[in-house]
Amino acid sequence: MFANKVSLADASEKLSQHHKEFLLLFQNGTLEVELYKPHLVDKQTPHDRDEVYIIATGVATFELEGKTTDVRTGDFLFVPAYAAHKFTTFSEDFSTWVLFFGPVVIEE
């Protein structure tokens, strides 16, 4: 077994057992990796760190600072710290890897 591997199947199973929309799965230095699966409504608020989304399953419409784009499995999104963002619509099977990284950004 590769110690630093997190499979989508294992991550999805762990997330389903916790009855939350997200679950921290890996952490090293400033990197945190989660799997996120919103239920009905994406309730996110802006974060104090930069983040990346890599769409794991499904399709969605993503809004960043008032601009929208359609995303699907395999797509990559970058969200700077404090940017207003959310998935406005998403398929029932939608899930995404979330990678927070770097230092906490102090909002000016």
Side-chain angles (χ1 to χ4, degrees), residues 6 8 18 25 27 38 58 66 69-70 72 74 88-89 99 106-107:
V6 179
L8 179 57
H18 284 83
L25 298 160
Q27 188 171 17
T69 189
D70 293 329
R72 62 185 334 99
T88 56
T89 61
L99 292 75
I106 306 301
E107 193 171 34

Side-chain angles (χ1 to χ4, degrees), residues 41-89:
V41 176
D42 182 354
K43 300 175 227 163
Q44 292 189 83
T45 57
H47 308 289
D48 61 3
R49 297 173 66 200
D50 290 340
E51 66 183 306
V52 165
Y53 292 101
I54 301 171
I55 309 306
T57 57
V59 297
T61 301
F62 182 71
E63 182 178 313
L64 175 63
E65 298 287 308
K67 295 180 182 177
T68 61
T69 189
D70 293 329
V71 297
R72 62 185 334 99
T73 302
D75 287 350
F76 169 99
L77 299 164
F78 171 75
V79 178
Y82 294 104
H85 66 285
K86 62 183 173 181
F87 294 95
T88 56
T89 61

Side-chain angles (χ1 to χ4, degrees), residues 12 15-16 20-23 34-41 57 90-96 98:
S12 296
L15 179 59
S16 71
K20 293 193 286 187
E21 294 181 336
F22 65 91
L23 184 65
E34 300 177 350
L35 186 65
Y36 178 55
K37 183 174 177 49
H39 179 70
L40 300 178
V41 176
T57 57
F90 41 88
S91 59
E92 189 174 314
D93 66 337
F94 177 78
S95 66
T96 184
V98 183

Side-chain angles (χ1 to χ4, degrees), residues 1-15 23-28 31-36 56 96-99:
M1 178 178 186
F2 189 66
N4 294 325
K5 176 183 175 182
V6 179
S7 74
L8 179 57
D10 288 346
S12 296
E13 177 64 24
K14 287 179 183 177
L15 179 59
L23 184 65
L24 178 65
L25 298 160
F26 179 83
Q27 188 171 17
N28 184 36
L31 174 65
E32 293 180 354
V33 178
E34 300 177 350
L35 186 65
Y36 178 55
T96 184
W97 295 104
V98 183
L99 292 75

